[in-house]
Amino acid sequence: MATTTARPAALDGSEDGRGLLTRDDRARLYRYMLLMRATEERALTLYRQGKVPGSYYDGHGQEAVSVGSAYALGPRDRACVLHRDLGAHLIRGVRPGRVLAQMMGRATGITGGRDGNMHFGDRHLGCVGMVSMLPDMALVACGLGLAFQIRREPRVAMTWFGEGSTANGVWHEAMNVAGIRRLPVVFVLENNQFAYSTPNDHEFAVDPVERAAGYGFPGIKVDGNDVEAVFSAAAAACERARTGGGPTLIECDTMRMHGHGAHDDMRYVPPELLEHWAARDPVEAYEARLAAAGIDTAAIQADVRAELERDTEWALQQPMPDPPTATDGVFAEVAEPLGDGEAPWSRWSPDREATHA
Amino acid sequence: MPELTYLQAISDALREEMRADERVFCLGEDIGRFGGAFKVTDGFIEEFGPDRVWDTPLAESAIVGTAVGAAVEGLRPVCEMQFADFISCGFDQLVNVAAKMHYRQGLAVPITVRLPSGGGFSGGPFHSQNPEAWMLQAPGLKVVAPSTPRDAKGLLAAAIQDPNPVVYLEHKHLYRRTKGEVPEGRYELPLGEARIAREGTDLSVIAYGAMVGVALEATEDLDGASVEVLDLRSLVPLDTDAILGSVRKTSKVVILHEATRSCGVGAEVAALIAENAFEDLDGPIVRVTAPDVPIPFSPPLERAVLPQVDNVKEACRELLAY
């Protein structure tokens, strides 16, 4: 039950999970981070052009957290994704164009205009859409895990929340229940230093990762800007959950590089803190690492740019929802459970390639 | 047909659904080894095991929230709030997560939340409430409130098999006091259909839950008047045809509920009638309800607050004389 603050060992004992990641896996990790950043940058542009109603929220600077952790999920695993974690949606198979359509309130966005910005989960891809009461989804993830446990299935539920959520009582209920029943849940805590404007020292007296021990399961702290470190911790936690070992809390230390929303000028963030984290940008750092390993990052960048152009064009052509449909769908006629998501990690299709980086 | 108490009928419905459908499981406080605060799940843990009869910690958000997660993975959870009053502790999961999920995400949340409700036992302000009006403001929830053992069984089975979150109000006063014939085996009664508990032509009393019995008793012999008693059974969906049909027949209506008055079910039903059957009315729409106060503990105070048979008689007599 020890809480560790060191980088966790990969399942095979090697550093950084490299023993688990092929060269193509690493290229994909980079691609998803880049795709998340590019999609959010495009969405922010659309917001500034007045095409995204309401406000706008993103996970700029936190790309390694959602990409690294969601990459460990298998097709039949399930995810409750937070609004800073577009990377997880992309990994499960949501296309950027549908995300942009969602942001613009179009009929073909994931929620068809019923909910905005990042409040979505494609149920066909095993995702449950978040609510604004952020710790709530930790309990929903516990319920997903409970279903796997009752049916004796080796599956995992993963959920993400900020350190802000750990101040709310619902978070305690989730951690307690997960600990009591040893539920197969991976809790990814992204400590991005601020809950809106409230800094860590106003949020808790003790680092929340330390609390895991009190609930009877491991808490692990990783560098949230190192995608392979996040992946390695998540892969180990998923394996542990799948084999009956129960839940894990992974705290990813990172920084919210944009305001809480696009309306927030972040005047409360000391400039030197932003500079410190800007020098540790997760996408740039990983690009340098892969380029040094001989991976053609420029080709990946060109590919992502082309995908975004195509998808943006598609999204801008999508219709707005039909007003009379606003009252449809309050009740379900049938209950269709969640579907399976994409799982790009080579582990789930071992014949795809075998070259290790 | 065997005669069962209201409580036995609820227990039977739950047991039969669990036997027939392995997706169904129960969760709540003290429901396992103890058999539940009111013994609805007595013997369940022995029959179904601890995975399907989960003694949860004292955490209502966890009860409703984990039920939501299990439901979207294909199970059919039945949550027990030990008392209806405690749903406030799990309210966010009910009204924000469960209720809105299908509208927002197209994802059905088939959970049932059982709420032992109502007063009359000196339960005081935290063990006596009828919180149904809270649920009526949360689109996406179905709300049922049976008054007889037969309805209790059929509506609970229907709630469990419904693809939506259903709040099931089971009035504690009825648990052991109300007996009636209950069909054997599984059956469902449709959610959203009212029932005429007694036909009549001079006046309609519209009620649900424990107040149906009060309405029947109060109007059984009311100076020879022919009084219809309509048991709503379901508050969402509301059987508007049955309500308007009864009013059009009798032209006078008393709406009776144990819950507090303002913005309650009675207010909604009154508005419905005023909007749709104004021309058919031969008198003002009358409500008999608890006043807008917490439910007090001491017996004379509680009796003063909860609608009594005499209150209903008086209201009916005044309206009949109008």
Side-chain angles (χ1 to χ4, degrees):
Chain A
M1 298 308 164
T3 298
T4 67
T5 50
R7 174 176 291 176
L11 298 184
D12 61 357
S14 69
E15 277 293 304
D16 297 358
R18 286 175 66 173
L20 298 167
L21 295 171
T22 65
R23 192 180 174 83
D24 283 356
D25 281 324
R26 302 179 78 198
R28 275 196 289 272
L29 285 173
Y30 175 63
R31 190 181 189 287
Y32 281 117
M33 283 202 290
L34 204 57
L35 193 58
M36 171 173 168
R37 179 161 295 180
T39 304
E40 290 190 336
E41 282 174 351
R42 182 59 53 92
L44 184 56
T45 301
L46 294 169
Y47 171 76
R48 289 179 175 146
Q49 290 172 347
K51 294 189 172 79
V52 172
S55 192
Y56 175 74
Y57 307 83
D58 67 27
H60 192 95
Q62 301 176 222
E63 291 86 350
V65 176
S66 58
V67 170
S69 50
Y71 200 72
L73 294 174
R76 302 206 65 219
D77 295 334
R78 301 292 183 245
C80 301
V81 186
L82 188 70
H83 57 296
R84 310 285 183 207
D85 299 314
L86 178 61
H89 290 296
L90 299 173
I91 285 173
R92 297 309 279 172
V94 179
R95 304 317 319 150
R98 291 185 67 218
V99 175
L100 297 176
Q102 160 75 16
M103 303 273 182
M104 294 189 287
R106 305 295 172 103
T108 50
I110 296 96
T111 68
R114 300 301 180 87
D115 206 340
N117 49 68
M118 286 291 289
H119 289 201
F120 68 85
D122 189 332
R123 67 185 176 92
H124 302 292
L125 299 172
C127 296
V128 185
M130 59 173 282
V131 299
S132 292
M133 301 70 188
L134 299 177
D136 281 9
M137 300 316 286
L139 277 171
V140 176
C142 286
L144 295 166
L146 180 69
F148 306 151
Q149 187 182 66
I150 288 175
R151 297 190 299 225
R152 308 281 188 270
E153 297 168 338
R155 298 165 65 188
V156 177
M158 187 177 282
T159 186
W160 292 258
F161 42 79
E163 84 288 352
S165 286
T166 69
N168 187 282
V170 167
W171 187 83
H172 159 74
E173 292 193 26
M175 298 289 281
N176 192 41
V177 160
I180 290 168
R181 289 209 50 144
R182 297 176 69 78
L183 296 173
V185 181
V186 177
F187 297 105
V188 183
L189 190 180
E190 39 202 322
N191 186 345
N192 63 7
Q193 314 304 321
F194 290 88
Y196 207 145
S197 73
T198 307
N200 276 190
D201 64 0
H202 280 54
E203 297 189 83
F204 41 74
V206 176
D207 188 330
V209 74
E210 302 290 342
R211 296 184 206 157
Y215 295 107
F217 56 86
I220 295 164
K221 189 161 182 167
V222 297
D223 177 356
N225 281 22
D226 178 343
V227 70
E228 290 193 12
V230 175
F231 167 77
S232 180
C238 287
E239 190 62 20
R240 190 167 172 275
R242 241 184 273 288
T243 54
T248 304
L249 174 65
I250 302 170
E251 180 178 2
C252 302
D253 202 27
T254 186
M255 176 68 190
R256 195 193 71 210
M257 297 301 287
H258 283 172
H260 170 69
H263 53 274
D264 171 14
D265 65 8
M266 301 178 78
R267 70 181 66 179
Y268 47 82
V269 178
E272 56 276 17
L273 187 64
L274 274 178
E275 283 164 26
H276 167 78
W277 285 95
R280 305 187 58 243
D281 182 85
V283 183
E284 288 172 13
Y286 201 51
E287 185 202 353
R289 204 159 144 193
L290 295 197
I295 290 176
D296 187 354
T297 53
I300 297 170
Q301 289 163 15
D303 184 54
V304 163
R305 271 197 303 273
E307 180 170 354
L308 243 292
E309 288 312 314
R310 278 195 309 271
D311 276 41
T312 304
E313 199 175 320
W314 176 85
L316 285 167
Q317 289 165 358
Q318 297 307 299
M320 292 304 275
D322 194 19
T325 64
T327 53
D328 293 349
V330 174
F331 293 105
E333 298 298 324
V334 291
E336 189 186 326
L338 296 167
D340 295 341
E342 291 180 10
W345 181 17
S346 58
R347 170 183 169 166
W348 307 111
S349 52
D351 54 339
R352 192 155 61 186
E353 78 276 318
T355 322
H356 282 251
Chain B
M1 217 182 286
E3 191 163 87
L4 301 181
T5 64
Y6 184 84
L7 187 142
Q8 286 168 332
I10 293 169
S11 189
D12 263 25
L14 199 48
R15 192 183 299 104
E16 287 179 18
E17 291 309 304
M18 287 182 75
R19 282 178 182 165
D21 185 346
E22 64 177 12
R23 301 173 305 169
V24 181
F25 74 102
C26 302
L27 64 167
E29 295 156 12
D30 308 299
I31 67 164
R33 277 167 293 197
F34 189 59
F38 297 100
K39 302 296 173 196
V40 168
T41 52
D42 200 17
F44 276 45
I45 199 165
E46 289 80 6
E47 179 172 354
F48 300 107
D51 261 1
R52 294 182 70 198
V53 186
W54 177 20
D55 269 324
T56 67
L58 303 190
E60 286 77 12
S61 281
I63 293 169
V64 182
T66 53
V68 171
V72 298
E73 247 310 309
L75 298 183
R76 296 282 171 144
V78 183
C79 307
E80 178 177 305
M81 292 292 113
Q82 195 155 80
F83 287 82
D85 311 66
F86 299 146
I87 190 59
S88 56
C89 300
F91 212 52
D92 199 30
Q93 291 287 341
L94 186 67
V95 304
N96 278 320
V97 183
K100 295 174 182 170
M101 189 66 80
H102 188 263
Y103 182 77
R104 298 166 58 235
Q105 309 288 338
L107 182 61
V109 182
I111 65 170
T112 303
V113 183
R114 293 180 35 238
L115 300 185
S117 61
F121 324 87
S122 292
F126 308 109
H127 292 76
S128 307
Q129 290 176 92
N130 294 281
E132 55 268 25
W134 295 350
M135 321 298 166
L136 302 188
Q137 282 285 334
L141 299 180
K142 293 188 177 180
V143 183
V144 297
S147 71
T148 69
R150 182 181 178 277
D151 288 355
K153 182 173 172 183
L155 289 173
L156 182 55
I160 292 169
Q161 295 301 333
D162 195 273
N164 296 284
V166 182
V167 175
Y168 181 91
L169 293 148
E170 46 191 67
H171 199 291
K172 301 190 293 288
H173 183 81
L174 303 176
Y175 271 156
R176 293 182 173 82
R177 289 179 180 80
T178 301
K179 275 191 169 186
E181 288 191 337
V182 177
E184 287 183 89
R186 290 175 82 200
Y187 65 93
E188 290 180 30
L189 295 172
L191 306 182
E193 282 189 16
R195 174 183 70 93
I196 295 175
R198 186 206 296 124
E199 299 250 20
T201 52
D202 297 337
L203 179 145
S204 300
V205 181
I206 298 175
Y208 57 90
M211 288 297 110
V212 174
V214 171
L216 287 169
E217 187 184 337
T219 58
E220 195 172 10
D221 178 18
L222 200 65
D223 316 325
S226 169
V227 177
E228 178 148 301
V229 175
L230 184 70
D231 177 0
L232 290 176
R233 301 201 287 192
S234 168
L235 307 179
V236 181
L238 192 62
D239 190 345
T240 54
D241 289 346
I243 293 167
L244 297 174
S246 184
V247 171
R248 286 180 179 134
K249 182 164 69 171
T250 64
S251 301
K252 290 184 174 178
V253 59
V254 171
I255 306 163
L256 167 64
H257 59 66
E258 190 182 299
T260 51
R261 190 175 189 85
S262 295
C263 303
V265 172
E268 180 59 29
V269 171
L272 175 85
I273 294 167
E275 285 169 347
N276 295 281
F278 182 73
E279 297 287 328
D280 299 289
L281 289 171
D282 283 340
I285 301 166
V286 173
R287 284 181 291 167
V288 179
T289 70
D292 294 332
V293 294
I295 308 304
F297 161 74
S298 183
L301 296 179
E302 189 181 24
R303 270 197 300 277
V305 163
L306 300 182
Q308 306 293 319
V309 169
D310 286 345
N311 305 132
V312 180
K313 281 187 174 177
E314 189 185 335
C316 289
R317 282 199 177 106
E318 275 183 30
L319 185 57
L320 283 164
Y322 184 87

